C-alpha cells in the first residue's frame, strides 16, 4: 500500500474523531455543571442514551489513538533526517502544551491538548523500544489506568452516598452553570485560571490511559491496520469483531438505571468499542463506500487541531452568556442543532483554509515553530 492511501485513512479517522469529540463535549457546553454531577443525577432522553452508549468517550479515545499513530509517523520521518528525535519532539509537545493552555484559559476548561502534550513527551522515549516491549508497556499502563479508575469509581460513589457531600457537589454544579449562563467572559476566564489544578485533575489523572492508547495506536500502525491490502482488511475485520463483540455489550451497561456503570463505561469500556469503530471506518474506506462523505471527514481530519479549537470557540459562542446564550434553552434540541451547525462551520472552515493555504492555521503555527530551531538541518518530519 502507498503512503498516500494510508494518510487518507488516517485523515478520515481524525475527521470522524473531531466531529465525535464535538458530540461529546457539546453536552458540557450546554450544561457546564453537568461535568460535576453523576449521570444518575440527570434525566436521560433518547438522545442522551444513544450518546452515552455510542459516543461518550469513544471518539476522544479514537483521537488519542490517532495521536499515537501521528507520533510514530513523525519518529519514522525523523530517522531519515538530521533532526534529533527527542529534542525535536519534546519541543513540539511543549508548543502543543502552550496551545492547550491558551485553549483552556480563554475557551474551554476540558482541554485535551495539554494531556496529549504530556503523554507525547513520555511516549517519545517509549517509541524507540522493540515491538514486544511496547506491548508490555501497553499492558502495564492500561492495568495502572484500570486500577486508578476503580479507585476513582469507589470514591465517587462513596461521596455521592453522603448527603452532605452530595448537596455540596450539587451546589458547585449550579454555581458553575450559573457562571457560564449569566457571568461575563472575563469572570469565566478568571474562574478557569483560579481553578486550574482542580479543573485539570481528571485529565492529568488519565495519563496512564492516554499512554496506553498512544501505544495501541503505534501497535495498530505497525501491524498494518491502516493498510489498504489483504492484510490490512483482515486486521480491520478482526478489530470490528472484537471491538463490537466485546465493546458494544460493555457500553450497553450505561443503560442500567442509576448510572452505576457510567464511570467504567466512559473510562474503561469506551476505548474497546472505539477499536471496532476504527476497524469499521477503515474497512468501509477500503470498500469505497460513502466516498463523498468520507472526503468531507478527510478535509476536517487534515485540519484536526484547528477544527478542535474552532469547535470550542463556536460552542462557547453558541451556549455561553457572551454569545447566543443557549444554556438552559430546550437542552436536547439546542445540542442537536449545535452539533449540526458547528460541524457545517468546521467543514466550511477546513475547505477554505486548505484551498487558500493548504494547511490549517494552528497546524501551520505548530509545524513552523517546531522546525524553527532546526531550520539549518535537513528536515523531513511531517
Amino acid at each position: 500500500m502507498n503512503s498516500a492511501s494510508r494518510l487518507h485513512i488516517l485523515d478520515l479517522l481524525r475527521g470522524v474523531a473531531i466531529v465525535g469529540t464535538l458530540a461529546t463535549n457539546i453536552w458540557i457546553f450546554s450544561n457546564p455543571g453537568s461535568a460535576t454531577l453523576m449521570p444518575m443525577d440527570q434525566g436521560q432522553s433518547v438522545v442522551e442514551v444513544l450518546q452515552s452508549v455510542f459516543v461518550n468517550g469513544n471518539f476522544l479515545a479514537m483521537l488519542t489513538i490517532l495521536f499515537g499513530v501521528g507520533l510514530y509517523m513523525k519518529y519514522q520521518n525523523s530517522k531519515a533526517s538530521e533532526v534529533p528525535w527527542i529534542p525535536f519532539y519534546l519541543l513540539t509537545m511543549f508548543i502543543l502544551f502552550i496551545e492547550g493552555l491558551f485553549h483552556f484559559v480563554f475557551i474551554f476548561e476540558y482541554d485535551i491538548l495539554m494531556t496529549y502534550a504530556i503523554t507525547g513527551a513520555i511516549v517519545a522515549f517509549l517509541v524507540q523500544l522493540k515491538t514486544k516491549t511496547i506491548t508490555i508497556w501497553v499492558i502495564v499502563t492500561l492495568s495502572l489506568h484500570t486500577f486508578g479508575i476503580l479507585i476513582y469509581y469507589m470514591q465517587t460513589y462513596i461521596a455521592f452516598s453522603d448527603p452532605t457531600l452530595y448537596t455540596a457537589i450539587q451546589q458547585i454544579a449550579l454555581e458553575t452553570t450559573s457562571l457560564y449562563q449569566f457571568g461575563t467572559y472575563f469572570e469565566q476566564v478568571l474562574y478557569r485560571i483560579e481553578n486550574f489544578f482542580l479543573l485539570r485533575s481528571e485529565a492529568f489523572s488519565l495519563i496512564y490511559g492516554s499512554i496506553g492508547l498512544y501505544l495501541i495506536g503505534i501497535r495498530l500502525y505497525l501491524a498494518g491496520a491502516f493498510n489498504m491490502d489483504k492484510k490490512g482488511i483482515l486486521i480491520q475485520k478482526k478489530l470490528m469483531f472484537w471491538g463490537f463483540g466485546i465493546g458494544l455489550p460493555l457500553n450497553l451497561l450505561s443503560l442500567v438505571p442509576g448510572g452505576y456503570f457510567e464511570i467504567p463505561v466512559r473510562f474503561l469500556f469506551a476505548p474497546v468499542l472505539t477499536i471496532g469503530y476504527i476497524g469499521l471506518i477503515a474497512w468501509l474506506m477500503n470498500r469505497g463506500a460513502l466516498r463523498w462523505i468520507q472526503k468531507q471527514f478527510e478535509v476536517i481530519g487534515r485540519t484536526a487541531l484547528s477544527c478542535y479549537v474552532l469547535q470550542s470557540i463556536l460552542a462557547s459562542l453558541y451556549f455561553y452568556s457572551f454569545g447566543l446564550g443557549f444554556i438552559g434553552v430546550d437542552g436536547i434540541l439546542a445540542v442537536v442543532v449545535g452539533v449540526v451547525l458547528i460541524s457545517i462551520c468546521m467543514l466550511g472552515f477546513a475547505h477554505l483554509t486548505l484551498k487558500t493555504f493548504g494547511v490549517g492555521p494552528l497546524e501551520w503555527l505548530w509545524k513552523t515553530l517546531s522546525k524553527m530551531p532546526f531550520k539549518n538541518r535537513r528536515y523531513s518530519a511531517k
Side-chain angles (χ1 to χ4, degrees):
M1 167 201 170
N2 59 53
S3 59
S5 298
R6 180 165 55 242
L7 289 173
H8 281 306
I9 288 181
L10 294 175
D11 286 337
L12 170 60
L13 288 167
R14 287 191 192 98
V16 172
I18 289 297
V19 175
T21 299
L22 168 64
T24 301
N25 289 343
I26 199 165
W27 296 92
I28 300 176
F29 283 103
S30 69
N31 183 10
S34 64
T36 307
L37 294 171
M38 292 297 294
M40 66 178 183
D41 195 56
Q42 305 165 51
Q44 292 283 297
S45 68
V46 174
V47 175
E48 288 173 303
V49 167
L50 293 174
Q51 192 268 352
S52 67
V53 175
F54 298 104
V55 177
N56 190 26
N58 300 111
F59 295 99
L60 285 172
M62 183 182 293
L63 199 59
T64 308
I65 289 171
L66 293 170
F67 258 81
V69 175
L71 183 153
Y72 188 80
M73 293 176 71
K74 285 183 171 66
Y75 172 64
Q76 278 188 317
N77 289 324
S78 74
K79 291 193 295 184
S81 71
E82 297 175 359
V83 176
W85 165 245
I86 293 299
F88 162 73
Y89 203 73
L90 290 184
L91 175 61
T92 65
M93 291 301 97
F94 174 74
I95 295 169
L96 184 66
F97 186 91
I98 297 302
E99 289 181 343
L101 181 61
F102 274 87
H103 180 234
F104 169 89
V105 171
F106 296 107
I107 307 172
F108 185 45
E109 60 262 44
Y110 293 97
D111 166 76
I112 59 172
L113 300 180
M114 287 186 285
T115 305
Y116 286 172
I118 295 174
T119 304
I122 296 171
V123 178
F125 294 91
L126 302 179
V127 73
Q128 303 175 77
L129 301 174
K130 295 180 179 179
T131 302
K132 289 184 179 180
T133 308
I134 290 177
T135 301
I136 293 173
W137 273 98
V138 170
I139 296 171
V140 170
T141 53
L142 292 185
S143 296
L144 291 171
H145 171 69
T146 301
F147 180 71
I149 292 301
L150 291 177
I151 293 177
Y152 171 64
Y153 177 84
M154 291 186 289
Q155 290 176 335
T156 300
Y157 278 95
I158 289 173
F160 272 77
S161 64
D162 184 315
T164 302
L165 286 174
Y166 180 70
T167 301
I169 292 170
Q170 282 186 311
Q171 183 61 34
I172 292 173
L174 290 172
E175 291 174 356
T176 302
T177 299
S178 178
L179 171 66
Y180 285 98
Q181 188 171 9
F182 304 110
T184 66
Y185 172 73
F186 294 104
E187 287 174 335
Q188 295 164 16
V189 169
L190 184 62
Y191 163 75
R192 290 192 288 267
I193 294 173
E194 291 178 341
N195 295 278
F196 175 84
F197 291 104
L198 177 62
L199 294 171
R200 291 288 75 209
S201 59
E202 177 189 288
F204 292 141
S205 68
L206 299 176
I207 289 294
Y208 284 126
S210 296
I211 293 172
L213 291 176
Y214 263 58
L215 295 175
I216 285 176
I218 293 171
R219 288 293 289 112
L220 289 174
Y221 183 87
L222 291 172
F226 306 108
N227 291 352
M228 295 182 68
D229 54 21
K230 290 183 179 180
K231 181 182 178 182
I233 293 174
L234 179 61
I235 295 173
Q236 292 153 19
K237 289 180 178 179
K238 289 181 178 179
L239 293 179
M240 285 189 285
F241 178 81
W242 292 108
F244 290 120
I246 298 176
L248 185 56
L250 290 175
N251 278 255
L252 286 171
L253 290 174
S254 64
L255 302 181
V256 174
Y260 296 107
F261 289 96
E262 190 65 25
I263 289 176
V265 167
R266 168 66 179 81
F267 297 111
L268 297 179
F269 304 154
V272 182
L273 185 57
T274 298
I275 295 298
Y277 286 158
I278 290 174
L280 176 61
I281 294 167
W283 179 76
L284 286 172
M285 183 171 186
N286 272 329
R287 292 179 61 87
L290 306 174
R291 193 175 298 276
W292 183 87
I293 295 177
Q294 286 183 22
K295 292 296 182 183
Q296 308 317 307
F297 279 111
E298 282 184 49
V299 169
I300 293 176
R302 289 175 61 190
T303 57
L305 178 59
S306 297
C307 282
Y308 170 70
V309 174
L310 176 64
Q311 68 177 236
S312 296
I313 295 172
L314 294 176
S316 61
L317 289 173
Y318 183 76
F319 284 105
Y320 291 170
S321 58
F322 57 84
L324 297 178
F326 275 108
I327 290 178
V329 179
D330 194 355
I332 303 302
L333 179 59
V335 165
V336 173
V337 172
V339 170
V340 173
L341 291 179
I342 294 172
S343 296
I344 292 172
C345 289
M346 284 196 299
L347 181 59
F349 167 83
H351 273 289
L352 179 62
T353 55
L354 288 177
K355 183 177 180 179
T356 305
F357 305 106
V359 67
L362 289 183
E363 283 80 3
W364 175 86
L365 180 64
W366 189 19
K367 185 175 181 179
T368 300
L369 293 177
S370 299
K371 290 172 59 177
M372 195 172 294
F374 309 101
K375 60 183 179 181
N376 294 325
R377 302 195 184 194
R378 188 164 58 89
Y379 179 89
S380 65
K382 296 178 180 179

